[in-house]
Amino acid sequence: MKISAQWLRDFVDLMVDNACLAEDLTNVGAAVEGIAGEGENTVFDMEITTNRPDEMNHYGLAREAAAIYDLPLKPIQPKLPKGTGSEEIPIEIEEPDLCPRFTARAIRNVSIKGSPAQVVQRLGLLDQRPINNAVDATNYVLWEIGKPTHVFDLDLLEGRRIIVRKAHEGETLKTLDGVERKLSTEDLVVADARKPVGLAGVMGGFDTMITEKTRNVLIESAWWNPIMVRKMSRRHGIHTDASHRFERGADFDSTVLSVNRVAEMILNAGGELSGEVVDVIARQMDQALVALHGSEVRRILGDQPPGDEIVRLLKRLGFDITPEKTDATEFTVQIPSWRLDVEREIDLIEEIARAYGYNKFPNTLPAFSGEVVEQPEAKKHCQVRSSLLALGYNETVSLAFISIKDASQFSAAQAVELANPLSEEASIMRTSPLPGMLDMLSYNLNRGINDVRLFELGSIYELSGQNSAETRRASLGASGSASPASVFQAARPYSFYDLKGDVQTLLDGFERTTLHYDAQTPAYYHPGRAARAVMDGDVVAQFGQIHPEVAAARKLRQDVFVGEIYLDRLYHRDLRKLRYETLARYPLVQRDFSFLFDDSVSFEKIQNAVNGLGIEELRSFEPVEIFRGGSVPKGKYSLLLRAKFQSGERTLREDEVARWSGQIIQTLEALGGSLRA
């Protein structure tokens, strides 16, 4: 949001320049991201965290500046004439849990016209469009003290009364943006004697808005339940400056002040107060006292800051701090009404550290007794990450939320639903890492980055009975070229075999007895271009090209390959220890075998059968060529296999190699294979 530097100086007599002020505010957590303009037109572009609605205005930030420079904060004290007449607007609150306080006051014989030049200039610096002096007064007060207010045309309020209630079935409200909105019984409205005239905490109604014909106005300021405002704002698709603040918790005690401040600004153009302010409190919102112990402050922060500095900082920030009679280092702290984010002693200690200045604390290591215990799987996690980085993948992080549609497409697990989702596209905890990976690949491809390799290490979530279970997975994603074009060769597109090699490299870092691949993969993978890795009987990975229909639905314009590594299963194994063998002194003997097999016979069956012979001198047994068609009958394939024999103790004899070759031939024939001439 934008903040006027000159406006801040209305409340604190600052002696520093704007650049220094911006740096000091940033150091206490009110981050100034940029500075525009100069002189009285200087504007800070600020990033205010969502837990600090008290800083989303000039007076709140002036309070921070007063604490930083130990200067007095000038109070806001509207000067109002005595109200004439005895008319009071009846206010009825039917939902005290949702609206514990509602304040209003009337002004008669107002003059609706343009706002004074200073008001227009300051609102313009904040990108606020001036409307008229009454509406501009509410906007000005919003940015001055952070409290949203609203003005009604009093003559258009039927029955001249206000009722805060739930909307009735079938009611509608035309809001200030000109949209006719259908209300539900879950909506809270401000109504007159007959109809709704405002969506509580979100936006006022069109039928009672201020126009040039307005002569009598009603100013209102209330406190609305943040959760209720958030739900209504999402339900109707409206986000306003008012709802932004009410959703985060406004100041309960500022309703009278804000109403009087708006009234003061409107009366500058003429008019007269009608009666006194009407302040209806349906339920008190007092915050509990918090005990602050000097010993706990020292334990967390050390010897800094000193005790008298703690009292000064908290008082400058608006906290009422009282020393206990028995011990001057023990305090009772009353939390101000505008600080709903402070609830515990540790929150107060954080306030002390923040206001004192993090850069003033000495760089010391925390006290520690005992030994440093490394997480049991830290090395394995580091191994996976470093392996993927070395393979050319870039690490990414995606949201842990996905849509119900994605969950049903990429997983059969029962999903954990969110009670208050951000949107339908992020309504459940992810049951698979692939939707997020595909979104990140799509984001890059749609922006002209055609060669992409990404990986993510994260968790997935699923229901296990009444509880949720969290397991860790790694996801890979790649698309584009495996090797770039150069003067020596054309670009080679990334393929399934590149991904398989990367997965193999990753799995090779862990101890195992057996590792094989099969084609039992989910339907979202391309048939014939996907596989799963089975290590010692456990499925530890599945990977391949995304099915063309899935790619088309996500508008992926080029082949995309993804993989999933089941880290929890993989981490059950130890990291592979480096081993070496001296180079053999004796020659290696090689034999080739050409066989015909039925399509139903996989190489996994062939390899397991040959390994089962227990030939110690068999160093490797690998496929060299595969051929279908031509003279090979339909339903069969020709496979050229190569066996390598070697001994570390002597030169092999021809009769030994012949005997082992015969055993291999008999074994392969037992699988239904036939030896080709």
Side-chain angles (χ1 to χ4, degrees), residues 341-415:
D341 60 311
V342 178
E343 300 175 339
R344 304 166 299 166
E345 183 180 27
I346 190 63
D347 298 331
L348 288 173
I349 296 174
E350 182 182 1
E351 285 298 297
I352 294 169
R354 183 181 63 82
Y356 181 69
Y358 295 118
N359 57 334
K360 295 180 182 178
F361 291 95
N363 293 325
T364 57
L365 292 173
F368 176 75
S369 62
E371 60 177 330
V372 177
V373 178
E374 186 179 45
Q375 293 296 321
E377 296 174 350
K379 289 184 177 179
K380 298 174 184 178
H381 212 60
C382 182
Q383 168 87 5
V384 170
R385 175 178 280 107
S386 59
S387 295
L388 291 171
L389 290 171
L391 289 168
Y393 289 81
N394 293 308
E395 186 170 7
T396 61
V397 177
S398 65
L399 285 177
F401 315 126
I402 60 175
S403 66
I404 295 177
K405 179 181 178 182
D406 282 343
S408 62
Q409 183 176 28
F410 291 96
S411 174
Q414 188 175 359

Side-chain angles (χ1 to χ4, degrees), residues 114 267 343 363 466 469 476 514 595 669:
L267 289 173
E343 300 175 339
N363 293 325
Q466 297 297 321
L476 313 180
T514 63
F595 269 82
E669 288 177 340

Side-chain angles (χ1 to χ4, degrees), residues 231-271:
K231 288 182 177 180
M232 286 202 305
S233 179
R234 302 296 186 275
R235 185 159 50 244
H236 292 283
I238 313 174
H239 183 80
T240 61
D241 287 331
S243 68
H244 187 82
R245 286 157 177 80
F246 281 128
E247 285 179 14
R248 289 154 177 80
D251 182 4
F252 182 83
D253 289 344
S254 66
T255 57
V256 174
L257 173 64
S258 56
V259 162
N260 288 339
R261 181 71 174 110
V262 172
E264 178 186 38
M265 295 183 67
I266 294 176
L267 289 173
N268 287 335

